[in-house]
Amino acid sequence: MEFAVADGGYRAVCLHTDPAVPGAEAFWRSLGTVVHDERRDAEHPQSLVHFELPVGR
């Protein structure tokens, strides 16, 4: 994440995880905020959860 801040001045990074992986969803929930849960997307149901993690300067 340091690269994203230094190179582009970003304030947050987004990532996605597969909640079927044991502990993955709980881990990322402890660090970031859910921005989209594909399991609840009626048009494009998938199994990924997207998170936003704040980064500091």
Side-chain angles (χ1 to χ4, degrees):
M1 288 194 277
E2 292 173 7
F3 170 79
V5 172
D7 189 54
Y10 296 98
R11 295 180 302 198
V13 295
C14 291
L15 61 88
H16 65 270
T17 193
D18 182 349
V21 175
E25 184 175 358
F27 174 76
W28 291 115
R29 280 184 183 275
S30 74
L31 298 174
T33 303
V34 174
V35 292
H36 183 66
D37 187 337
E38 292 182 4
R39 298 171 294 184
R40 292 165 177 51
D41 188 337
E43 289 187 37
H44 304 95
Q46 300 291 321
S47 62
L48 299 176
V49 180
H50 300 259
F51 294 89
E52 181 177 274
L53 282 73
V55 293
R57 288 197 141 235

mmCIF file of all heavy atoms in Angstrom:
data_model
loop_
_atom_site.group_PDB
_atom_site.id
_atom_site.type_symbol
_atom_site.label_atom_id
_atom_site.label_comp_id
_atom_site.label_asym_id
_atom_site.label_seq_id
_atom_site.Cartn_x
_atom_site.Cartn_y
_atom_site.Cartn_z
ATOM 1 N N MET A 1 0.815 -1.187 0.000
ATOM 2 C CA MET A 1 0.000 0.000 0.000
ATOM 3 C C MET A 1 0.861 1.254 0.000
ATOM 4 O O MET A 1 0.429 2.283 -0.486
ATOM 5 C CB MET A 1 -0.957 -0.031 1.168
ATOM 6 C CG MET A 1 -2.073 -1.047 0.980
ATOM 7 S SD MET A 1 -3.449 -0.861 2.111
ATOM 8 C CE MET A 1 -2.831 -1.721 3.532
ATOM 9 N N GLU A 2 2.064 1.157 0.543
ATOM 10 C CA GLU A 2 2.943 2.322 0.545
ATOM 11 C C GLU A 2 3.218 2.796 -0.881
ATOM 12 O O GLU A 2 3.299 3.988 -1.138
ATOM 13 C CB GLU A 2 4.248 1.998 1.256
ATOM 14 C CG GLU A 2 4.085 1.777 2.741
ATOM 15 C CD GLU A 2 5.363 1.290 3.401
ATOM 16 O OE1 GLU A 2 6.419 1.243 2.736
ATOM 17 O OE2 GLU A 2 5.300 0.948 4.593
ATOM 18 N N PHE A 3 3.345 1.852 -1.817
ATOM 19 C CA PHE A 3 3.581 2.204 -3.209
ATOM 20 C C PHE A 3 2.419 3.028 -3.760
ATOM 21 O O PHE A 3 2.631 4.024 -4.445
ATOM 22 C CB PHE A 3 3.778 0.946 -4.046
ATOM 23 C CG PHE A 3 3.796 1.215 -5.520
ATOM 24 C CD1 PHE A 3 4.932 1.720 -6.127
ATOM 25 C CD2 PHE A 3 2.671 0.982 -6.290
ATOM 26 C CE1 PHE A 3 4.959 1.986 -7.486
ATOM 27 C CE2 PHE A 3 2.687 1.250 -7.650
ATOM 28 C CZ PHE A 3 3.823 1.752 -8.248
ATOM 29 N N ALA A 4 1.199 2.617 -3.467
ATOM 30 C CA ALA A 4 0.026 3.329 -3.979
ATOM 31 C C ALA A 4 -0.013 4.759 -3.462
ATOM 32 O O ALA A 4 -0.340 5.686 -4.203
ATOM 33 C CB ALA A 4 -1.255 2.600 -3.591
ATOM 34 N N VAL A 5 0.340 4.952 -2.225
ATOM 35 C CA VAL A 5 0.345 6.298 -1.642
ATOM 36 C C VAL A 5 1.462 7.128 -2.249
ATOM 37 O O VAL A 5 1.253 8.261 -2.682
ATOM 38 C CB VAL A 5 0.499 6.230 -0.110
ATOM 39 C CG1 VAL A 5 0.693 7.620 0.473
ATOM 40 C CG2 VAL A 5 -0.706 5.564 0.517
ATOM 41 N N ALA A 6 2.668 6.561 -2.307
ATOM 42 C CA ALA A 6 3.828 7.309 -2.801
ATOM 43 C C ALA A 6 3.718 7.607 -4.290
ATOM 44 O O ALA A 6 4.037 8.705 -4.736
ATOM 45 C CB ALA A 6 5.106 6.523 -2.517
ATOM 46 N N ASP A 7 3.258 6.656 -5.072
ATOM 47 C CA ASP A 7 3.247 6.814 -6.520
ATOM 48 C C ASP A 7 2.041 7.590 -7.031
ATOM 49 O O ASP A 7 2.156 8.384 -7.950
ATOM 50 C CB ASP A 7 3.297 5.445 -7.196
ATOM 51 C CG ASP A 7 3.504 5.552 -8.686
ATOM 52 O OD1 ASP A 7 4.480 6.203 -9.106
ATOM 53 O OD2 ASP A 7 2.680 4.997 -9.431
ATOM 54 N N GLY A 8 0.883 7.334 -6.440
ATOM 55 C CA GLY A 8 -0.322 7.939 -6.994
ATOM 56 C C GLY A 8 -1.087 8.832 -6.058
ATOM 57 O O GLY A 8 -2.105 9.400 -6.443
ATOM 58 N N GLY A 9 -0.653 8.939 -4.828
ATOM 59 C CA GLY A 9 -1.362 9.779 -3.881
ATOM 60 C C GLY A 9 -2.723 9.243 -3.480
ATOM 61 O O GLY A 9 -3.599 9.994 -3.086
ATOM 62 N N TYR A 10 -2.904 7.948 -3.596
ATOM 63 C CA TYR A 10 -4.200 7.347 -3.260
ATOM 64 C C TYR A 10 -4.470 7.417 -1.768
ATOM 65 O O TYR A 10 -3.563 7.367 -0.952
ATOM 66 C CB TYR A 10 -4.242 5.887 -3.718
ATOM 67 C CG TYR A 10 -4.133 5.741 -5.206
ATOM 68 C CD1 TYR A 10 -2.918 5.449 -5.806
ATOM 69 C CD2 TYR A 10 -5.245 5.916 -6.017
ATOM 70 C CE1 TYR A 10 -2.808 5.328 -7.176
ATOM 71 C CE2 TYR A 10 -5.150 5.797 -7.394
ATOM 72 C CZ TYR A 10 -3.919 5.508 -7.962
ATOM 73 O OH TYR A 10 -3.822 5.388 -9.322
ATOM 74 N N ARG A 11 -5.751 7.518 -1.416
ATOM 75 C CA ARG A 11 -6.161 7.546 -0.013
ATOM 76 C C ARG A 11 -6.716 6.212 0.444
ATOM 77 O O ARG A 11 -6.901 5.978 1.631
ATOM 78 C CB ARG A 11 -7.193 8.637 0.211
ATOM 79 C CG ARG A 11 -6.626 10.030 -0.029
ATOM 80 C CD ARG A 11 -7.673 11.057 0.201
ATOM 81 N NE ARG A 11 -8.792 10.761 -0.712
ATOM 82 C CZ ARG A 11 -9.735 11.607 -1.046
ATOM 83 N NH1 ARG A 11 -9.729 12.798 -0.540
ATOM 84 N NH2 ARG A 11 -10.699 11.259 -1.879
ATOM 85 N N ALA A 12 -7.011 5.326 -0.516
ATOM 86 C CA ALA A 12 -7.550 4.009 -0.185
ATOM 87 C C ALA A 12 -7.190 3.038 -1.303
ATOM 88 O O ALA A 12 -6.933 3.447 -2.433
ATOM 89 C CB ALA A 12 -9.062 4.064 -0.013
ATOM 90 N N VAL A 13 -7.162 1.772 -0.953
ATOM 91 C CA VAL A 13 -6.989 0.720 -1.957
ATOM 92 C C VAL A 13 -8.169 -0.221 -1.836
ATOM 93 O O VAL A 13 -8.770 -0.355 -0.765
ATOM 94 C CB VAL A 13 -5.658 -0.052 -1.794
ATOM 95 C CG1 VAL A 13 -4.474 0.849 -2.045
ATOM 96 C CG2 VAL A 13 -5.561 -0.698 -0.431
ATOM 97 N N CYS A 14 -8.520 -0.852 -2.943
ATOM 98 C CA CYS A 14 -9.609 -1.816 -2.950
ATOM 99 C C CYS A 14 -9.046 -3.197 -3.225
ATOM 100 O O CYS A 14 -8.072 -3.340 -3.959
ATOM 101 C CB CYS A 14 -10.641 -1.462 -4.018
ATOM 102 S SG CYS A 14 -11.561 0.026 -3.619
ATOM 103 N N LEU A 15 -9.640 -4.185 -2.642
ATOM 104 C CA LEU A 15 -9.242 -5.555 -2.887
ATOM 105 C C LEU A 15 -10.472 -6.423 -2.822
ATOM 106 O O LEU A 15 -11.530 -5.994 -2.371
ATOM 107 C CB LEU A 15 -8.194 -6.020 -1.872
ATOM 108 C CG LEU A 15 -8.602 -6.028 -0.404
ATOM 109 C CD1 LEU A 15 -9.252 -7.344 -0.031
ATOM 110 C CD2 LEU A 15 -7.423 -5.757 0.474
ATOM 111 N N HIS A 16 -10.336 -7.633 -3.280
ATOM 112 C CA HIS A 16 -11.447 -8.574 -3.162
ATOM 113 C C HIS A 16 -10.930 -9.873 -2.586
ATOM 114 O O HIS A 16 -9.746 -10.188 -2.690
ATOM 115 C CB HIS A 16 -12.146 -8.792 -4.508
ATOM 116 C CG HIS A 16 -11.292 -9.442 -5.531
ATOM 117 N ND1 HIS A 16 -10.509 -8.717 -6.391
ATOM 118 C CD2 HIS A 16 -11.092 -10.746 -5.843
ATOM 119 C CE1 HIS A 16 -9.871 -9.534 -7.190
ATOM 120 N NE2 HIS A 16 -10.201 -10.781 -6.881
ATOM 121 N N THR A 17 -11.823 -10.588 -1.944
ATOM 122 C CA THR A 17 -11.455 -11.859 -1.346
ATOM 123 C C THR A 17 -12.563 -12.874 -1.569
ATOM 124 O O THR A 17 -13.716 -12.522 -1.777
ATOM 125 C CB THR A 17 -11.155 -11.701 0.160
ATOM 126 O OG1 THR A 17 -10.522 -12.880 0.634
ATOM 127 C CG2 THR A 17 -12.409 -11.434 0.964
ATOM 128 N N ASP A 18 -12.178 -14.115 -1.506
ATOM 129 C CA ASP A 18 -13.122 -15.223 -1.628
ATOM 130 C C ASP A 18 -13.500 -15.651 -0.213
ATOM 131 O O ASP A 18 -12.672 -16.190 0.522
ATOM 132 C CB ASP A 18 -12.462 -16.377 -2.377
ATOM 133 C CG ASP A 18 -13.389 -17.557 -2.581
ATOM 134 O OD1 ASP A 18 -14.484 -17.589 -1.972
ATOM 135 O OD2 ASP A 18 -13.014 -18.461 -3.340
ATOM 136 N N PRO A 19 -14.740 -15.409 0.200
ATOM 137 C CA PRO A 19 -15.139 -15.740 1.560
ATOM 138 C C PRO A 19 -15.162 -17.242 1.847
ATOM 139 O O PRO A 19 -15.295 -17.644 2.998
ATOM 140 C CB PRO A 19 -16.530 -15.125 1.703
ATOM 141 C CG PRO A 19 -17.024 -14.962 0.323
ATOM 142 C CD PRO A 19 -15.822 -14.773 -0.548
ATOM 143 N N ALA A 20 -14.994 -18.077 0.823
ATOM 144 C CA ALA A 20 -14.931 -19.527 1.044
ATOM 145 C C ALA A 20 -13.593 -19.939 1.649
ATOM 146 O O ALA A 20 -13.472 -21.031 2.206
ATOM 147 C CB ALA A 20 -15.169 -20.270 -0.270
ATOM 148 N N VAL A 21 -12.588 -19.062 1.556
ATOM 149 C CA VAL A 21 -11.284 -19.349 2.153
ATOM 150 C C VAL A 21 -11.401 -19.127 3.660
ATOM 151 O O VAL A 21 -11.783 -18.035 4.093
ATOM 152 C CB VAL A 21 -10.186 -18.441 1.549
ATOM 153 C CG1 VAL A 21 -8.867 -18.651 2.263
ATOM 154 C CG2 VAL A 21 -10.058 -18.688 0.057
ATOM 155 N N PRO A 22 -11.093 -20.137 4.465
ATOM 156 C CA PRO A 22 -11.258 -20.003 5.915
ATOM 157 C C PRO A 22 -10.495 -18.797 6.477
ATOM 158 O O PRO A 22 -9.306 -18.629 6.235
ATOM 159 C CB PRO A 22 -10.680 -21.310 6.454
ATOM 160 C CG PRO A 22 -10.833 -22.282 5.326
ATOM 161 C CD PRO A 22 -10.624 -21.466 4.069
ATOM 162 N N GLY A 23 -11.222 -17.941 7.175
ATOM 163 C CA GLY A 23 -10.628 -16.785 7.844
ATOM 164 C C GLY A 23 -10.441 -15.558 6.972
ATOM 165 O O GLY A 23 -10.171 -14.475 7.490
ATOM 166 N N ALA A 24 -10.562 -15.693 5.649
ATOM 167 C CA ALA A 24 -10.268 -14.564 4.761
ATOM 168 C C ALA A 24 -11.219 -13.391 4.974
ATOM 169 O O ALA A 24 -10.782 -12.243 5.126
ATOM 170 C CB ALA A 24 -10.308 -15.014 3.304
ATOM 171 N N GLU A 25 -12.505 -13.663 4.978
ATOM 172 C CA GLU A 25 -13.466 -12.567 5.115
ATOM 173 C C GLU A 25 -13.335 -11.876 6.467
ATOM 174 O O GLU A 25 -13.312 -10.648 6.550
ATOM 175 C CB GLU A 25 -14.889 -13.072 4.908
ATOM 176 C CG GLU A 25 -15.909 -11.968 4.935
ATOM 177 C CD GLU A 25 -17.317 -12.433 4.621
ATOM 178 O OE1 GLU A 25 -17.537 -13.638 4.335
ATOM 179 O OE2 GLU A 25 -18.224 -11.586 4.673
ATOM 180 N N ALA A 26 -13.202 -12.638 7.521
ATOM 181 C CA ALA A 26 -13.066 -12.046 8.860
ATOM 182 C C ALA A 26 -11.800 -11.196 8.957
ATOM 183 O O ALA A 26 -11.815 -10.111 9.550
ATOM 184 C CB ALA A 26 -13.050 -13.138 9.917
ATOM 185 N N PHE A 27 -10.714 -11.672 8.353
ATOM 186 C CA PHE A 27 -9.461 -10.921 8.373
ATOM 187 C C PHE A 27 -9.622 -9.561 7.705
ATOM 188 O O PHE A 27 -9.293 -8.524 8.277
ATOM 189 C CB PHE A 27 -8.351 -11.721 7.692
ATOM 190 C CG PHE A 27 -7.076 -10.947 7.561
ATOM 191 C CD1 PHE A 27 -6.252 -10.755 8.650
ATOM 192 C CD2 PHE A 27 -6.706 -10.400 6.338
ATOM 193 C CE1 PHE A 27 -5.074 -10.026 8.541
ATOM 194 C CE2 PHE A 27 -5.536 -9.673 6.211
ATOM 195 C CZ PHE A 27 -4.715 -9.488 7.312
ATOM 196 N N TRP A 28 -10.146 -9.546 6.472
ATOM 197 C CA TRP A 28 -10.275 -8.280 5.750
ATOM 198 C C TRP A 28 -11.327 -7.372 6.371
ATOM 199 O O TRP A 28 -11.182 -6.149 6.353
ATOM 200 C CB TRP A 28 -10.551 -8.530 4.272
ATOM 201 C CG TRP A 28 -9.343 -9.107 3.600
ATOM 202 C CD1 TRP A 28 -9.231 -10.349 3.052
ATOM 203 C CD2 TRP A 28 -8.065 -8.493 3.469
ATOM 204 N NE1 TRP A 28 -7.956 -10.534 2.575
ATOM 205 C CE2 TRP A 28 -7.209 -9.408 2.815
ATOM 206 C CE3 TRP A 28 -7.535 -7.259 3.827
ATOM 207 C CZ2 TRP A 28 -5.890 -9.125 2.513
ATOM 208 C CZ3 TRP A 28 -6.210 -6.977 3.533
ATOM 209 C CH2 TRP A 28 -5.405 -7.904 2.880
ATOM 210 N N ARG A 29 -12.372 -7.946 6.958
ATOM 211 C CA ARG A 29 -13.359 -7.112 7.655
ATOM 212 C C ARG A 29 -12.723 -6.391 8.844
ATOM 213 O O ARG A 29 -13.145 -5.294 9.205
ATOM 214 C CB ARG A 29 -14.539 -7.946 8.136
ATOM 215 C CG ARG A 29 -15.542 -8.251 7.048
ATOM 216 C CD ARG A 29 -16.757 -9.001 7.606
ATOM 217 N NE ARG A 29 -17.682 -9.355 6.554
ATOM 218 C CZ ARG A 29 -18.623 -8.554 6.077
ATOM 219 N NH1 ARG A 29 -18.776 -7.347 6.580
ATOM 220 N NH2 ARG A 29 -19.422 -8.962 5.100
ATOM 221 N N SER A 30 -11.712 -7.001 9.446
ATOM 222 C CA SER A 30 -11.041 -6.372 10.593
ATOM 223 C C SER A 30 -10.162 -5.201 10.166
ATOM 224 O O SER A 30 -9.784 -4.381 10.996
ATOM 225 C CB SER A 30 -10.206 -7.396 11.365
ATOM 226 O OG SER A 30 -9.016 -7.731 10.667
ATOM 227 N N LEU A 31 -9.852 -5.104 8.872
ATOM 228 C CA LEU A 31 -8.962 -4.051 8.378
ATOM 229 C C LEU A 31 -9.642 -3.012 7.498
ATOM 230 O O LEU A 31 -9.147 -1.896 7.362
ATOM 231 C CB LEU A 31 -7.815 -4.679 7.570
ATOM 232 C CG LEU A 31 -6.902 -5.624 8.322
ATOM 233 C CD1 LEU A 31 -5.914 -6.270 7.364
ATOM 234 C CD2 LEU A 31 -6.171 -4.893 9.431
ATOM 235 N N GLY A 32 -10.743 -3.381 6.871
ATOM 236 C CA GLY A 32 -11.350 -2.477 5.902
ATOM 237 C C GLY A 32 -12.861 -2.443 5.995
ATOM 238 O O GLY A 32 -13.464 -2.965 6.934
ATOM 239 N N THR A 33 -13.454 -1.842 4.986
ATOM 240 C CA THR A 33 -14.895 -1.674 4.905
ATOM 241 C C THR A 33 -15.406 -2.363 3.641
ATOM 242 O O THR A 33 -14.817 -2.196 2.568
ATOM 243 C CB THR A 33 -15.248 -0.174 4.821
ATOM 244 O OG1 THR A 33 -14.686 0.483 5.958
ATOM 245 C CG2 THR A 33 -16.741 0.048 4.793
ATOM 246 N N VAL A 34 -16.492 -3.101 3.764
ATOM 247 C CA VAL A 34 -17.087 -3.742 2.597
ATOM 248 C C VAL A 34 -17.699 -2.669 1.699
ATOM 249 O O VAL A 34 -18.457 -1.826 2.157
ATOM 250 C CB VAL A 34 -18.173 -4.770 3.007
ATOM 251 C CG1 VAL A 34 -18.885 -5.323 1.779
ATOM 252 C CG2 VAL A 34 -17.569 -5.893 3.819
ATOM 253 N N VAL A 35 -17.330 -2.712 0.409
ATOM 254 C CA VAL A 35 -17.933 -1.784 -0.548
ATOM 255 C C VAL A 35 -18.869 -2.507 -1.507
ATOM 256 O O VAL A 35 -19.740 -1.874 -2.106
ATOM 257 C CB VAL A 35 -16.866 -0.971 -1.327
ATOM 258 C CG1 VAL A 35 -16.145 -0.019 -0.407
ATOM 259 C CG2 VAL A 35 -15.902 -1.871 -2.053
ATOM 260 N N HIS A 36 -18.699 -3.817 -1.636
ATOM 261 C CA HIS A 36 -19.614 -4.593 -2.480
ATOM 262 C C HIS A 36 -19.484 -6.068 -2.122
ATOM 263 O O HIS A 36 -18.391 -6.615 -2.076
ATOM 264 C CB HIS A 36 -19.297 -4.385 -3.957
ATOM 265 C CG HIS A 36 -20.240 -5.080 -4.875
ATOM 266 N ND1 HIS A 36 -21.569 -4.737 -4.973
ATOM 267 C CD2 HIS A 36 -20.066 -6.109 -5.723
ATOM 268 C CE1 HIS A 36 -22.163 -5.521 -5.850
ATOM 269 N NE2 HIS A 36 -21.272 -6.370 -6.330
ATOM 270 N N ASP A 37 -20.623 -6.679 -1.874
ATOM 271 C CA ASP A 37 -20.676 -8.115 -1.587
ATOM 272 C C ASP A 37 -21.414 -8.774 -2.740
ATOM 273 O O ASP A 37 -22.632 -8.643 -2.859
ATOM 274 C CB ASP A 37 -21.390 -8.357 -0.255
ATOM 275 C CG ASP A 37 -21.328 -9.802 0.201
ATOM 276 O OD1 ASP A 37 -21.135 -10.694 -0.659
ATOM 277 O OD2 ASP A 37 -21.473 -10.040 1.405
ATOM 278 N N GLU A 38 -20.668 -9.437 -3.605
ATOM 279 C CA GLU A 38 -21.264 -10.029 -4.811
ATOM 280 C C GLU A 38 -22.284 -11.116 -4.488
ATOM 281 O O GLU A 38 -23.124 -11.424 -5.324
ATOM 282 C CB GLU A 38 -20.170 -10.592 -5.715
ATOM 283 C CG GLU A 38 -19.292 -9.525 -6.315
ATOM 284 C CD GLU A 38 -18.249 -10.089 -7.251
ATOM 285 O OE1 GLU A 38 -18.236 -11.303 -7.516
ATOM 286 O OE2 GLU A 38 -17.421 -9.294 -7.733
ATOM 287 N N ARG A 39 -22.231 -11.654 -3.314
ATOM 288 C CA ARG A 39 -23.205 -12.680 -2.940
ATOM 289 C C ARG A 39 -24.602 -12.096 -2.854
ATOM 290 O O ARG A 39 -25.586 -12.800 -2.929
ATOM 291 C CB ARG A 39 -22.816 -13.325 -1.608
ATOM 292 C CG ARG A 39 -21.473 -14.024 -1.662
ATOM 293 C CD ARG A 39 -21.023 -14.467 -0.297
ATOM 294 N NE ARG A 39 -20.769 -13.295 0.541
ATOM 295 C CZ ARG A 39 -20.285 -13.340 1.767
ATOM 296 N NH1 ARG A 39 -20.013 -14.531 2.322
ATOM 297 N NH2 ARG A 39 -20.073 -12.250 2.458
ATOM 298 N N ARG A 40 -24.698 -10.778 -2.730
ATOM 299 C CA ARG A 40 -25.992 -10.112 -2.610
ATOM 300 C C ARG A 40 -26.369 -9.355 -3.880
ATOM 301 O O ARG A 40 -27.298 -8.569 -3.882
ATOM 302 C CB ARG A 40 -25.969 -9.157 -1.423
ATOM 303 C CG ARG A 40 -25.890 -9.909 -0.094
ATOM 304 C CD ARG A 40 -25.515 -9.002 1.042
ATOM 305 N NE ARG A 40 -25.473 -9.561 2.358
ATOM 306 C CZ ARG A 40 -24.861 -10.647 2.764
ATOM 307 N NH1 ARG A 40 -24.264 -11.426 1.914
ATOM 308 N NH2 ARG A 40 -24.844 -11.034 4.030
ATOM 309 N N ASP A 41 -25.636 -9.563 -4.943
ATOM 310 C CA ASP A 41 -25.877 -8.891 -6.220
ATOM 311 C C ASP A 41 -26.795 -9.759 -7.076
ATOM 312 O O ASP A 41 -26.384 -10.775 -7.620
ATOM 313 C CB ASP A 41 -24.542 -8.659 -6.928
ATOM 314 C CG ASP A 41 -24.666 -7.808 -8.174
ATOM 315 O OD1 ASP A 41 -25.774 -7.738 -8.760
ATOM 316 O OD2 ASP A 41 -23.648 -7.215 -8.563
ATOM 317 N N ALA A 42 -28.047 -9.347 -7.205
ATOM 318 C CA ALA A 42 -29.034 -10.153 -7.930
ATOM 319 C C ALA A 42 -28.712 -10.281 -9.414
ATOM 320 O O ALA A 42 -29.005 -11.302 -10.025
ATOM 321 C CB ALA A 42 -30.425 -9.542 -7.757
ATOM 322 N N GLU A 43 -28.107 -9.259 -9.996
ATOM 323 C CA GLU A 43 -27.799 -9.291 -11.426
ATOM 324 C C GLU A 43 -26.546 -10.092 -11.750
ATOM 325 O O GLU A 43 -26.458 -10.698 -12.811
ATOM 326 C CB GLU A 43 -27.639 -7.864 -11.951
ATOM 327 C CG GLU A 43 -28.945 -7.101 -12.021
ATOM 328 C CD GLU A 43 -28.759 -5.758 -12.704
ATOM 329 O OE1 GLU A 43 -27.966 -5.687 -13.662
ATOM 330 O OE2 GLU A 43 -29.399 -4.801 -12.272
ATOM 331 N N HIS A 44 -25.565 -10.051 -10.885
ATOM 332 C CA HIS A 44 -24.286 -10.729 -11.135
ATOM 333 C C HIS A 44 -23.836 -11.482 -9.883
ATOM 334 O O HIS A 44 -22.816 -11.142 -9.295
ATOM 335 C CB HIS A 44 -23.214 -9.717 -11.547
ATOM 336 C CG HIS A 44 -23.596 -8.898 -12.723
ATOM 337 N ND1 HIS A 44 -24.163 -7.648 -12.618
ATOM 338 C CD2 HIS A 44 -23.519 -9.161 -14.041
ATOM 339 C CE1 HIS A 44 -24.400 -7.176 -13.813
ATOM 340 N NE2 HIS A 44 -24.028 -8.074 -14.699
ATOM 341 N N PRO A 45 -24.583 -12.476 -9.466
ATOM 342 C CA PRO A 45 -24.204 -13.173 -8.232
ATOM 343 C C PRO A 45 -22.894 -13.935 -8.391
ATOM 344 O O PRO A 45 -22.751 -14.762 -9.287
ATOM 345 C CB PRO A 45 -25.379 -14.116 -7.987
ATOM 346 C CG PRO A 45 -25.984 -14.327 -9.328
ATOM 347 C CD PRO A 45 -25.756 -13.062 -10.099
ATOM 348 N N GLN A 46 -21.960 -13.604 -7.577
ATOM 349 C CA GLN A 46 -20.661 -14.282 -7.520
ATOM 350 C C GLN A 46 -20.382 -14.571 -6.053
ATOM 351 O O GLN A 46 -21.255 -14.442 -5.214
ATOM 352 C CB GLN A 46 -19.569 -13.393 -8.119
ATOM 353 C CG GLN A 46 -19.788 -13.023 -9.563
ATOM 354 C CD GLN A 46 -19.637 -14.206 -10.493
ATOM 355 O OE1 GLN A 46 -18.773 -15.044 -10.312
ATOM 356 N NE2 GLN A 46 -20.503 -14.277 -11.489
ATOM 357 N N SER A 47 -19.161 -14.908 -5.762
ATOM 358 C CA SER A 47 -18.852 -15.221 -4.366
ATOM 359 C C SER A 47 -17.774 -14.321 -3.782
ATOM 360 O O SER A 47 -17.228 -14.626 -2.730
ATOM 361 C CB SER A 47 -18.412 -16.681 -4.254
ATOM 362 O OG SER A 47 -17.229 -16.887 -5.010
ATOM 363 N N LEU A 48 -17.455 -13.210 -4.429
ATOM 364 C CA LEU A 48 -16.394 -12.347 -3.933
ATOM 365 C C LEU A 48 -16.949 -11.214 -3.082
ATOM 366 O O LEU A 48 -18.068 -10.755 -3.282
ATOM 367 C CB LEU A 48 -15.600 -11.754 -5.097
ATOM 368 C CG LEU A 48 -14.900 -12.757 -5.994
ATOM 369 C CD1 LEU A 48 -14.232 -12.028 -7.144
ATOM 370 C CD2 LEU A 48 -13.910 -13.597 -5.225
ATOM 371 N N VAL A 49 -16.127 -10.757 -2.151
ATOM 372 C CA VAL A 49 -16.463 -9.598 -1.329
ATOM 373 C C VAL A 49 -15.361 -8.567 -1.566
ATOM 374 O O VAL A 49 -14.172 -8.887 -1.491
ATOM 375 C CB VAL A 49 -16.552 -9.953 0.169
ATOM 376 C CG1 VAL A 49 -16.897 -8.722 0.993
ATOM 377 C CG2 VAL A 49 -17.572 -11.056 0.395
ATOM 378 N N HIS A 50 -15.748 -7.330 -1.882
ATOM 379 C CA HIS A 50 -14.807 -6.255 -2.186
ATOM 380 C C HIS A 50 -14.689 -5.331 -0.974
ATOM 381 O O HIS A 50 -15.694 -4.930 -0.391
ATOM 382 C CB HIS A 50 -15.284 -5.462 -3.400
ATOM 383 C CG HIS A 50 -15.397 -6.319 -4.624
ATOM 384 N ND1 HIS A 50 -14.436 -6.311 -5.604
ATOM 385 C CD2 HIS A 50 -16.334 -7.222 -5.017
ATOM 386 C CE1 HIS A 50 -14.787 -7.156 -6.558
ATOM 387 N NE2 HIS A 50 -15.934 -7.726 -6.225
ATOM 388 N N PHE A 51 -13.471 -4.975 -0.650
ATOM 389 C CA PHE A 51 -13.168 -4.144 0.519
ATOM 390 C C PHE A 51 -12.401 -2.904 0.103
ATOM 391 O O PHE A 51 -11.660 -2.916 -0.875
ATOM 392 C CB PHE A 51 -12.306 -4.907 1.522
ATOM 393 C CG PHE A 51 -13.005 -6.074 2.145
ATOM 394 C CD1 PHE A 51 -12.963 -7.315 1.560
ATOM 395 C CD2 PHE A 51 -13.698 -5.914 3.329
ATOM 396 C CE1 PHE A 51 -13.608 -8.401 2.130
ATOM 397 C CE2 PHE A 51 -14.348 -6.999 3.916
ATOM 398 C CZ PHE A 51 -14.298 -8.245 3.314
ATOM 399 N N GLU A 52 -12.541 -1.853 0.895
ATOM 400 C CA GLU A 52 -11.725 -0.655 0.754
ATOM 401 C C GLU A 52 -10.912 -0.531 2.033
ATOM 402 O O GLU A 52 -11.447 -0.607 3.137
ATOM 403 C CB GLU A 52 -12.620 0.568 0.576
ATOM 404 C CG GLU A 52 -11.813 1.854 0.403
ATOM 405 C CD GLU A 52 -12.718 3.040 0.162
ATOM 406 O OE1 GLU A 52 -13.069 3.256 -1.019
ATOM 407 O OE2 GLU A 52 -13.068 3.706 1.138
ATOM 408 N N LEU A 53 -9.607 -0.343 1.868
ATOM 409 C CA LEU A 53 -8.709 -0.175 2.998
ATOM 410 C C LEU A 53 -8.093 1.218 2.940
ATOM 411 O O LEU A 53 -7.506 1.587 1.918
ATOM 412 C CB LEU A 53 -7.581 -1.203 2.968
ATOM 413 C CG LEU A 53 -7.924 -2.607 3.438
ATOM 414 C CD1 LEU A 53 -8.773 -3.322 2.439
ATOM 415 C CD2 LEU A 53 -6.677 -3.372 3.737
ATOM 416 N N PRO A 54 -8.232 2.002 4.000
ATOM 417 C CA PRO A 54 -7.644 3.334 3.993
ATOM 418 C C PRO A 54 -6.115 3.234 4.077
ATOM 419 O O PRO A 54 -5.576 2.301 4.678
ATOM 420 C CB PRO A 54 -8.217 3.984 5.257
ATOM 421 C CG PRO A 54 -8.557 2.846 6.146
ATOM 422 C CD PRO A 54 -8.918 1.695 5.250
ATOM 423 N N VAL A 55 -5.443 4.167 3.447
ATOM 424 C CA VAL A 55 -3.980 4.240 3.546
ATOM 425 C C VAL A 55 -3.625 5.644 3.994
ATOM 426 O O VAL A 55 -4.297 6.611 3.642
ATOM 427 C CB VAL A 55 -3.292 3.886 2.208
ATOM 428 C CG1 VAL A 55 -3.514 2.443 1.859
ATOM 429 C CG2 VAL A 55 -3.767 4.761 1.065
ATOM 430 N N GLY A 56 -2.586 5.768 4.765
ATOM 431 C CA GLY A 56 -2.179 7.077 5.284
ATOM 432 C C GLY A 56 -1.034 7.663 4.493
ATOM 433 O O GLY A 56 -0.402 7.002 3.706
ATOM 434 N N ARG A 57 -0.829 8.918 4.702
ATOM 435 C CA ARG A 57 0.310 9.613 4.071
ATOM 436 C C ARG A 57 1.373 9.890 5.084
ATOM 437 O O ARG A 57 1.183 9.998 6.222
ATOM 438 C CB ARG A 57 -0.153 10.931 3.471
ATOM 439 C CG ARG A 57 -0.967 10.685 2.257
ATOM 440 C CD ARG A 57 -1.067 11.958 1.436
ATOM 441 N NE ARG A 57 -0.973 11.479 0.090
ATOM 442 C CZ ARG A 57 -0.100 11.882 -0.808
ATOM 443 N NH1 ARG A 57 0.762 12.790 -0.521
ATOM 444 N NH2 ARG A 57 -0.074 11.393 -1.995
#
